[in-house]
Amino acid sequence: MFLFNNKQPSVLGVDISGTAIKLLEFSCSGGKYRVESYAVEVLPPHSVSDKIITDIEQVGEVVARAVKKSGSRTKQAAVCVAGSSVTTKIISMPSGLSDDELETQIQFEADQYIPFPLEEVAIDFEVIGDSEEGADRVNVLLAASRSETVDNVVSSIELGGLNVKVVDVEAFVIENTIKLISKDFPIGVSKDAIAVADIGYSVTNFSVMENMKMVYSREETFGGLQLTEEIQRKYGLTLEEADLAKINGSLPANYGQEILEPFKGNMASQIGRALQFFYASSQISEIDILVLAGGCSSISGVAELIEARLGVKTIVANPFANMDLAPKVNAESLAKHAPAMMIACGLALRGGH
């Protein structure tokens, strides 16, 4: 149940991360977007593991709370499945086939591209251009995920009182948001090769776009959890207490120098290592700009530190920089959450407006 490029009338972008539900709705007038509603609601521990939903009922309850908190009346939702649970492949097919004919042929040939039994997967495809194999061939992007993974997402959203209209793939959702953000890149910065480091709670997703198309993605086990665990160890707190103290800013005076600064340095090292992995596997030798996303990118001074360490122009993602806000949207709160709203933003952009 993927729906490539199938724009829907106004949808709620719903991002189910490992720690929270992030919900976002746009309207658009004269080519300018406006944030109509948004909400962030924390998930119970262990309800989502490695971006796979493990407790449908708990996630559904949090979706319902987020919808209520947002005040949105929209019932159609766009969601996505994580790149790690999706197999994508570009295949060559005969040109001139109808969608039904393409679907029949892809179903017939899919078992050679997909590492799961076909009865256990959800499949979608999109013709993306002419094939180098000849004028009578086209390139088709095939995406497949285990049906159980997709079904769990859909069930959770429906339990929250919404109808799922779009199931997208995380990498393509990030593409949507970067295309929007790139309009506000600093003057003189090329958009040929853009790196994105999305630093979540337990996983950092490092990806690279060439000419606005995702060409590389790699996940590392690193994120805000490491900072929380260091706070826990240093001050003798439970994990929950450490998380709360980090959010509330109620930590001792030595926290910044002894814990936060080393963590920022570690973040720079992790991204630097991811960048070297990319260079080693690619013909691209230079990144034009690095976009930081995820909750950890909000830490003061981190973009400047990474830029100085890596020698790459670095900015913190803010998809809402030039958007209008509906009166009910709290500008200060939205700005605080902006770097972590990349996925929700890309999904909300799927609305037709």
Side-chain angles (χ1 to χ4, degrees):
M1 185 188 170
F2 301 99
L3 297 171
F4 284 127
N5 288 340
N6 185 12
K7 282 202 166 188
Q8 303 292 322
S10 197
V11 294
L12 284 172
V14 185
D15 173 24
I16 304 173
S17 72
T19 56
I21 299 290
K22 304 177 191 87
L23 184 149
L24 186 62
E25 180 185 12
F26 294 145
S27 62
C28 187
S29 178
K32 188 174 178 65
Y33 287 99
R34 181 170 107 145
V35 180
E36 292 296 338
S37 57
Y38 104 100
V40 177
E41 280 289 300
V42 176
L43 282 164
H46 315 302
S47 53
V48 177
S49 177
D50 295 328
K51 299 187 178 179
I52 303 295
I53 295 171
T54 52
D55 193 321
I56 294 169
E57 288 194 5
Q58 283 190 331
V59 173
E61 287 172 7
V62 178
V63 170
R65 287 207 303 273
V67 172
K68 185 176 181 181
K69 182 178 180 180
S70 75
S72 174
R73 295 182 178 179
T74 300
K75 293 299 180 186
Q76 314 301 340
V79 296
C80 68
V81 284
S84 54
S85 63
V86 179
T87 298
T88 57
K89 187 84 175 174
I90 295 175
I91 59 177
S92 176
M93 302 289 289
S95 61
L97 297 180
S98 68
D99 283 352
D100 287 344
E101 289 168 335
L102 266 177
E103 184 172 357
T104 300
Q105 187 146 345
I106 286 170
Q107 290 281 358
F108 184 70
E109 298 182 15
D111 58 346
Q112 61 185 296
Y113 307 113
I114 298 167
F116 315 117
L118 289 185
E119 62 271 14
E120 295 178 9
V121 297
I123 297 175
D124 199 12
F125 62 90
E126 179 189 1
V127 177
I128 57 173
D130 296 332
S131 172
E132 294 175 359
E133 293 184 12
D136 60 341
R137 310 285 291 181
V138 290
N139 283 333
V140 177
L141 176 61
L142 176 69
S145 180
R146 283 189 178 274
S147 298
E148 182 184 10
T149 302
V150 178
D151 290 345
N152 284 0
V153 172
V154 172
S155 296
S156 299
I157 296 296
E158 289 177 346
L159 270 176
L162 301 174
N163 303 312
V164 175
K165 283 296 178 184
V166 179
V167 181
D168 213 328
V169 177
E170 190 174 82
F172 307 144
V173 173
I174 292 171
E175 280 184 10
N176 281 349
T177 308
I178 290 297
K179 286 172 185 173
L180 178 75
I181 291 174
S182 69
K183 295 173 183 175
D184 300 314
F185 280 176
I187 293 170
V189 172
S190 171
K191 302 175 186 178
D192 295 341
I194 303 167
V196 183
D198 190 345
I199 308 143
Y201 188 65
S202 58
V203 172
T204 292
N205 185 285
F206 181 84
S207 51
V208 178
M209 291 172 62
E210 184 180 15
N211 299 321
M212 292 296 168
K213 289 293 181 184
M214 194 72 70
V215 295
Y216 179 87
S217 184
R218 178 186 175 94
E219 287 190 351
E220 300 284 349
T221 305
F222 175 82
L225 177 60
Q226 274 84 347
L227 178 58
T228 303
E229 287 175 340
E230 190 57 27
I231 293 168
Q232 178 188 17
R233 186 193 64 76
K234 177 77 175 176
Y235 302 117
L237 305 172
T238 66
L239 198 64
E240 289 76 15
E241 288 169 343
D243 249 336
L244 199 59
K246 182 174 73 173
I247 293 166
N248 294 340
S250 56
L251 286 160
N254 65 352
Y255 162 68
Q257 198 58 40
E258 294 192 12
I259 296 179
L260 190 60
E261 287 304 316
F263 176 77
K264 285 160 65 174
N266 195 6
M267 200 187 311
S269 298
Q270 291 284 342
I271 294 171
R273 193 174 301 122
L275 201 52
Q276 292 310 313
F277 273 123
F278 167 70
Y279 286 144
S281 68
S282 169
Q283 295 187 345
I284 297 173
S285 59
E286 188 177 1
I287 293 295
D288 297 310
I289 189 168
L290 170 65
V291 180
L292 300 181
C296 290
S297 61
S298 298
I299 296 171
S300 178
V302 76
E304 292 80 1
L305 173 69
I306 291 171
E307 181 169 325
R309 289 269 190 97
L310 305 185
V312 177
K313 180 64 185 175
T314 304
I315 64 169
V316 177
N318 180 8
F320 316 116
N322 288 315
M323 289 191 190
D324 294 328
L325 307 182
K328 67 179 179 183
V329 174
N330 183 311
E332 186 179 342
S333 176
L334 182 65
K336 186 178 77 172
H337 287 118
M341 299 291 281
M342 285 274 289
I343 302 294
C345 177
L347 290 167
L349 288 170
R350 292 297 299 266
H353 311 302

